[in-house]
Amino acid sequence: MLLSYLKIAWKVLLRRKFFTFISLFGISFTLMVLLVVYSLFDHFLGPHYPETRNNRMLYANFLNMRFKSGGNQNSPPSYYLLNRFVRTLKEPELISISSQFAPASAYISGKKLKLDLKYTDAPFWQLLEFNFLEGKPYTEPDVRSAAHVAVINEATARQYFGLSRGVVGKTIELDQTRYRVTGVVADVPGMRINTYADVWVPISLSTEDLQRTEFTGNHVALLLAKSPADVEQMEAEFDRMVRAIPNPDPKNIEQINFHADRMLASIVRPLTGTYNTSKGLTMFYSAISLLTLLFMLLPALNLVNVNVSRIMERSSEIGVRKAFGATSGALVRQFLVENIFLTLVGAVVGLALAWGSLQLLSNSSLVPYAQFGLNWRIFGWGLFISLGFGLLSGVYPAYKMSRLQAVQALRSANSSK
Amino acid sequence: MENILTQTTARPQATAPAPVTSAQPVIQLREIEKIYQTKTIETVALNRVNLTINKGEFVSIMGPSGCGKSTLLSIMGLLDEPSGGVIELDGRPVQAYSDRELAALRNQKIGFVFQSYHLINDLSVLDNVELPLLYRPGVGGKQRRERAYAALDKVGLSARTGHFPSQLSGGQRQRVAIARALAGRPEIILADEPTGNLDSVMGEEIMELLLNLNRQEGTTIVMVTHDEQQARRTQRLIRFFDGSQVS
Ligand SMILES: Nc1ncnc2c1ncn2[C@@H]1O[C@H](COP(=O)(O)OP(=O)(O)OP(=O)(O)O)[C@@H](O)[C@H]1O
Ligand SMILES: [Mg+2]
């Protein structure tokens, strides 16, 4: 029975190319976009290299100051603020302070090479899980003594030295400063904004005045909790610490909003302007859910519409099958199998399309060093949702039709011809 | 389920006296009414029809267009429900059957031939003919194919099994429809103007086929026709006028 249902499903597919195309396009395209968008999203936020432990991490990279005059100032925090106050926290297992990456230039045989440079402390290399292809990170004594050393990524090794291995101990010159390479790491994707760079050097070499006592600057602190369960405590301690910071300018500054957030929240907070509360994430999730729903709605409605008219079109078939002994259950089962089959074909096509687009995205240099992959969980959800719509939209009209007396189904087939 | 289908309780003869060949009724209609209610008018398609079809009979039904012949056949074939009255199949009122049992009756006892063929266009000739067997429990794929081939052979279409309905002539389509009705080896064939869309030569062939089926296999046949000559070749002719039997 199942085999003959599948046979019919397959024949209907082939003989109604236009209908098939529309249905499949809706399902495939939706699934593809879902998969691609999620993959991008996941690349920003997932526990990926080198922030593999980001379920234990908080990011303090955004500061908001409200002035008595009514104005606002948004900026990353300064090294001073992070070093003087955040460093004192007891909860974190590790605390790392680094600058935001900034462009620097190198020259090889007269050709300019633009590289992104980041100043970090030594815990940076312990807190994050970099993949050292050779050599090792610079150490606490290196940072304290402001040694001219650097960790570079593989792409830089290849571009600057023409080698991907064997460059440890060689010298790289950036913005007229020479550094000795201590290690080479695998490339970090560009959307890991808190850790990404081409070249990392000790923060003590920073060209900025790190002693400057203003709160605004261009640094970021990464905090690693002892376990995922400890993150909340760490966050609470951070908030207590912020409340204890003396107002540096009580005459002008009304309030200082400074938080340590999980990765997603650290991005959402400045976007939503929720400097003071944790409502931003809720807002963000609502917006995302709404968008996804709207996005799914169109192909879903299309599928419903196509299915309904397809079944109406086949009322003659339903009448004939009833006349020759099909029960309502058998008819509903038949359309169920057809819809599942169709949806699965659409899903496979969607999967292939998504894979192709992600491959294209990865190979394009849109985001440096990004490698996008398919997410099977999202594929599963997309498939589940499409199946749900496929079933609902196919089975309900099939059920209605199967309840008709056979003559009615046959007659409506005649009059529609 | 098997028992209700083979059950043949003898019943006293219904009111309408008919020139019976054997006195074993298979279908009995008592006071059957069918009323179509639309917004503007009420159509009485069947008005208290009493009719008995006996086992092995070949009955033809004639009457002007719109007098209720198709309606009658649909009700006999359990494709439609009457507004009033009782249908008995093998002496048992069909109102007593569940939906599933009715489906089984349609599947095993009755073969329908429609005026406008009603073949499934997406299926090949062979798959169309296999259809009744698809809904019969215990018939495997191999057996289905064999029986469908045999039925197609009977109607002289064994060379066209792979064709689709759209690739056939009207006569060929009607023969496929007949093969489909035969494939399930039903006791009763209900044919609604099986030759209505065909030329006289083709019509004659179909008529021969039905006559043979009735004579050789003892299949009970009820056929609606507009052709006096065809009607006269059957054992009994029933004339209808305005929803009632007139002879
Ligand atoms: N679904 C329906 N709704 C309303 N009236 C109907 C419906 N089906 C049939 N009728 C009416 O019932 C009457 C009998 O119709 P039926 O189709 O049984 O006639 P018929 O004898 O088969 O005619 P023909 O020889 O043209 O096929 C007609 O008057 C028709 O208009
Ligand atoms: Mg008719």
Side-chain angles (χ1 to χ4, degrees), chain A residues 31-285:
Chain A
L31 266 180
M32 179 197 85
V33 174
L34 267 183
L35 282 171
V36 169
V37 168
Y38 182 81
S39 179
L40 296 177
F41 198 73
D42 181 63
H43 253 73
F44 267 104
L45 303 171
H48 295 297
Y49 174 78
E51 295 162 51
T52 34
R53 295 189 286 191
N54 76 351
N55 64 335
R56 286 164 57 188
M57 283 171 69
L58 289 177
Y59 301 78
N61 55 6
F62 175 76
L63 177 75
N64 164 263
M65 285 200 286
R66 219 170 66 228
F67 296 107
K68 293 233 158 86
S69 58
N72 263 295
Q73 187 182 2
N74 294 334
S75 134
S78 67
Y79 180 81
Y80 168 77
L81 178 63
L82 296 173
N83 193 45
R84 166 80 177 74
F85 297 101
V86 177
R87 272 260 198 251
T88 63
L89 295 178
K90 295 283 172 290
E91 285 288 338
E93 183 180 311
L94 285 169
I95 299 172
S96 162
I97 301 173
S98 51
S99 74
Q100 306 211 318
F101 68 84
S105 312
Y107 291 88
I108 356 153
S109 50
K111 231 180 84 212
K112 188 172 167 183
L113 185 63
K114 291 199 81 176
L115 296 171
D116 286 320
L117 179 67
K118 188 175 177 75
Y119 296 96
T120 82
D121 56 8
F124 185 81
W125 301 108
Q126 291 149 35
L127 195 151
L128 298 159
E129 298 187 309
F130 275 91
N131 176 14
F132 273 84
L133 304 175
E134 65 169 329
K136 48 186 183 356
Y138 42 80
T139 58
E140 194 63 57
D142 288 331
V143 175
R144 229 178 295 125
S145 65
H148 280 71
V149 286
V151 171
I152 65 176
N153 68 1
E154 195 184 5
T156 304
R158 211 175 290 119
Q159 284 174 33
Y160 192 86
F161 298 108
L163 303 161
S164 56
R165 296 289 188 282
V167 302
V168 169
K170 292 185 188 282
T171 304
I172 183 170
E173 188 175 326
L174 273 175
D175 287 348
Q176 285 88 49
T177 311
R178 295 160 65 86
Y179 305 91
R180 185 174 50 82
V181 175
T182 66
V184 179
V185 295
D187 297 335
V188 176
M191 53 272 191
R192 305 264 125 196
I193 49 169
N194 293 305
T195 48
Y196 157 83
D198 293 307
V199 179
W200 297 263
V201 299
I203 196 159
S204 44
L205 297 174
S206 176
T207 47
E208 262 184 72
D209 176 12
L210 296 179
Q211 308 311 316
R212 194 176 50 96
T213 57
E214 264 171 42
F215 282 6
T216 60
N218 69 341
H219 285 76
V220 50
L222 309 176
L223 313 176
L224 182 74
K226 293 179 187 82
S227 75
D230 290 337
V231 173
E232 261 172 58
Q233 259 167 279
M234 188 164 87
E235 198 174 347
E237 189 195 15
F238 191 97
D239 287 344
R240 280 198 301 279
M241 175 275 295
V242 170
R243 262 179 263 126
I245 296 175
N247 190 332
D249 184 5
K251 242 189 272 163
N252 290 314
I253 297 173
E254 163 100 33
Q255 195 181 2
I256 294 172
N257 290 312
F258 184 35
H259 294 275
D261 285 317
R262 287 172 193 273
M263 186 181 244
L264 176 60
S266 78
I267 296 169
V268 166
R269 192 180 291 281
L271 286 180
T272 53
T274 48
Y275 309 123
N276 207 0
T277 67
S278 54
K279 281 200 197 102
L281 264 191
T282 320
M283 272 164 64
F284 177 76
Y285 278 125

Side-chain angles (χ1 to χ4, degrees), chain A residues 1 4-5 7-8 11-12 15-16 314 316-317 319-328 330-331 334 403 405-408 410-411 413-414 417, chain B residues 36 74 78-81 99-100 103-104 106-107 110-112 114 116 118-124 127 131-132 134-135 144 164 166 177 180-181:
Chain A
M1 202 66 146
S4 76
Y5 287 163
K7 198 163 136 191
I8 289 175
K11 284 181 179 165
V12 169
R15 288 175 65 81
R16 293 168 196 237
R314 288 166 71 187
S316 157
E317 177 182 337
V320 168
R321 286 178 185 276
K322 283 208 92 166
F324 283 99
T327 56
S328 302
L331 287 171
Q334 179 191 336
R403 303 304 295 178
Q405 292 288 346
V407 269
Q408 283 166 286
L410 288 169
R411 192 178 294 123
N414 273 339
K417 264 178 200 152
Chain B
Y36 290 109
S74 301
L78 312 178
L79 305 188
D80 204 357
E81 278 175 357
D99 277 355
R100 289 182 69 89
R106 282 194 284 261
N107 181 251
I110 302 167
F112 227 99
F114 303 97
S116 47
H118 283 307
L119 298 176
I120 298 175
N121 290 325
D122 290 327
L123 297 184
S124 69
D127 288 333
L131 189 82
L134 204 59
Y135 299 109
R144 268 206 307 270
F164 283 88
S166 57
R180 177 175 62 185

Side-chain angles (χ1 to χ4, degrees), chain B residues 1-219:
Chain B
M1 203 174 288
E2 200 58 32
N3 61 333
I4 48 162
L5 299 170
T6 50
Q7 188 178 40
T8 49
T9 324
R11 277 247 167 192
Q13 183 72 356
T15 43
V20 281
T21 46
S22 75
Q24 196 182 359
V26 275
I27 305 173
Q28 280 181 289
L29 305 182
R30 296 168 199 271
E31 301 287 307
I32 290 294
E33 271 188 325
K34 182 70 185 183
I35 298 165
Y36 290 109
Q37 194 82 49
T38 55
K39 263 180 223 146
T40 45
I41 46 160
E42 189 186 273
T43 312
V44 181
L46 294 176
N47 185 16
R48 293 167 175 276
V49 175
N50 288 290
L51 187 62
T52 302
I53 308 291
N54 289 309
K55 196 173 171 59
E57 262 192 314
F58 193 160
V59 178
S60 51
I61 299 175
M62 292 193 75
S65 183
C67 70
K69 306 180 297 293
S70 294
T71 307
L72 182 74
L73 224 57
S74 301
I75 286 176
M76 277 193 203
L78 312 178
L79 305 188
D80 204 357
E81 278 175 357
S83 319
V86 177
I87 316 161
E88 286 180 12
L89 228 69
D90 289 332
R92 191 176 164 195
V94 299
Q95 279 89 340
Y97 291 97
S98 70
D99 277 355
R100 289 182 69 89
E101 289 170 329
L102 284 178
L105 279 177
R106 282 194 284 261
N107 181 251
Q108 305 187 18
K109 251 188 134 44
I110 302 167
F112 227 99
V113 180
F114 303 97
Q115 186 175 352
S116 47
Y117 326 128
H118 283 307
L119 298 176
I120 298 175
N121 290 325
D122 290 327
L123 297 184
S124 69
V125 163
L126 188 66
D127 288 333
N128 263 290
V129 175
E130 278 186 17
L131 189 82
L133 298 169
L134 204 59
Y135 299 109
R136 189 165 301 182
V139 180
K142 192 161 164 269
Q143 215 181 344
R144 268 206 307 270
R145 218 156 313 123
E146 280 169 5
R147 287 218 216 164
Y149 272 122
L152 281 166
D153 203 34
K154 257 185 211 152
V155 300
L157 275 180
S158 39
R160 308 250 172 202
T161 53
H163 284 57
F164 283 88
S166 57
Q167 299 166 321
L168 300 177
S169 74
Q172 288 169 332
R173 284 184 214 185
Q174 193 59 295
R175 282 191 281 164
V176 174
I178 292 175
R180 177 175 62 185
L182 296 183
R185 297 190 191 146
E187 288 169 41
I188 308 162
I189 287 190
L190 303 174
D192 193 352
E193 300 187 45
T195 61
N197 286 339
L198 308 178
D199 65 29
S200 54
V201 180
M202 216 47 251
E204 181 54 32
E205 265 182 52
I206 301 281
M207 193 60 204
E208 277 303 323
L209 210 91
L210 292 174
L211 281 167
N212 275 338
L213 203 64
N214 174 250
R215 266 185 234 125
Q216 288 166 10
E217 323 223 337
T219 309

